[in-house]
Amino acid sequence: MCEPISATLGVVSALGSGMQAIGAHQQQEAAVARSNAIAQQQYQRQLQIAAAQDEEKSRTYQAQLKAATASRNAYHRQVTANQAEANRALAASADNLKQKSAAAAFESQRAVAKAVQAQGSVLATGRSGQSFLLQTMDSQRVLGLEQAEINRSMYDASAASGVEQHGILLDQNAANVAAWNNLPANPLSPQASFIPIKPMKQQGPSGLALAGSLIGSAAGGFSSGLEAYSTMKDNNLFGVT
């Protein structure tokens, strides 16, 4: 008649163990869910940071492209200005040489006219002989010297003009090289940020494990009830004689 007591003890023990198993199961589920939520939040935050970094890289790259384009336009304008200045300087040098050449031509004409006039004066005397011949030759010698001096002056002027024009071209090239060296390097296309690794979702405690725990708790409780009943019976706690 005391079997109900053992059953009651078993049920109480089983309920206690089952509640502990359910509590532990729920606690594990909550811990896993919290861990998954934190990992997902961190992942989303990393995605937002990567997107913001890529957007900033894109803005910086576009600004660098605009600056590089502006620099190249300025370079081409400078090269054009250098060419215009070189053309002006070359034209001025050529005009200066032309003026010297014209002056030398007039000077040569005056020397020839002077020599002709001198010869005419000698011829007008009507004299002859060696003295007359020497006077005639002297006027030719003077003309030759003057022509040689004029030619030498023009040679020097031409050489100086050539050196000047070569220097103008060198200055133009140096100005172009300096303008080129001032150009900034071409901006490199930005690389996309590394995408963060998506977190693996942790699995919660198995429902089968909980069921097994509950079954084990029930079996353990029943066994505990029987043991308690047997102990009480052996000790004659029920007052049976």
Side-chain angles (χ1 to χ4, degrees):
M1 68 178 186
C2 293
E3 292 297 331
I5 294 176
S6 64
T8 300
L9 292 174
V11 170
V12 171
S13 178
L15 287 175
S17 298
M19 291 177 65
Q20 289 179 352
I22 293 174
H25 180 82
Q26 291 178 344
Q27 186 177 9
Q28 291 177 0
E29 281 187 333
V32 171
R34 181 175 180 275
S35 178
N36 287 335
I38 292 175
Q40 184 64 25
Q41 289 176 355
Q42 291 178 344
Y43 173 68
Q44 293 297 330
R45 179 58 179 166
Q46 290 173 349
L47 286 178
Q48 292 173 354
I49 292 174
Q53 289 176 343
D54 287 343
E55 185 176 354
E56 179 62 24
K57 289 178 183 178
S58 178
R59 285 196 297 266
T60 302
Y61 178 64
Q62 294 300 325
Q64 290 174 341
L65 280 180
K66 290 181 180 179
T69 301
S71 297
R72 288 192 175 278
N73 291 337
Y75 164 74
H76 291 301
R77 288 194 298 270
Q78 184 62 51
V79 169
T80 301
N82 293 342
Q83 183 64 57
E85 174 59 22
N87 292 340
R88 184 204 63 76
L90 290 173
S93 178
D95 184 65
N96 185 40
L97 180 61
K98 184 178 180 180
Q99 291 178 6
K100 289 181 178 180
S101 179
F106 285 124
E107 188 174 355
S108 178
Q109 290 177 1
R110 284 195 297 270
V112 171
K114 183 178 178 181
V116 171
Q117 183 179 6
Q119 288 181 358
S121 298
V122 172
L123 293 174
T125 60
R127 293 182 298 178
S128 61
Q130 186 176 3
S131 175
F132 174 78
L133 180 60
L134 291 175
Q135 289 180 350
T136 303
M137 292 177 61
D138 184 65
S139 64
Q140 293 293 330
R141 181 183 62 81
V142 171
L143 176 61
L145 290 174
E146 291 180 350
Q147 289 288 0
E149 185 179 353
I150 293 172
N151 292 337
R152 180 63 187 181
S153 176
M154 281 305 305
Y155 175 82
D156 292 341
S158 297
S161 179
V163 171
E164 182 183 24
Q165 292 180 8
H166 183 66
I168 292 170
L169 294 177
L170 289 177
D171 290 341
Q172 179 190 6
N173 182 70
N176 290 342
V177 171
W180 175 263
N181 290 335
N182 288 332
L183 283 174
N186 290 328
L188 298 177
S189 178
Q191 300 295 323
S193 301
F194 289 105
I195 298 178
I197 299 176
K198 189 174 183 180
M200 296 291 294
K201 186 176 182 181
Q202 300 181 23
Q203 298 297 325
S206 173
L208 293 177
L210 176 60
S213 297
L214 292 176
I215 293 174
S217 297
F222 181 72
S223 176
S224 297
L226 289 178
E227 290 178 1
Y229 174 76
S230 177
T231 300
M232 294 172 67
K233 184 177 180 180
D234 291 340
N235 293 329
N236 197 19
L237 297 177
F238 300 111
V240 180
T241 59

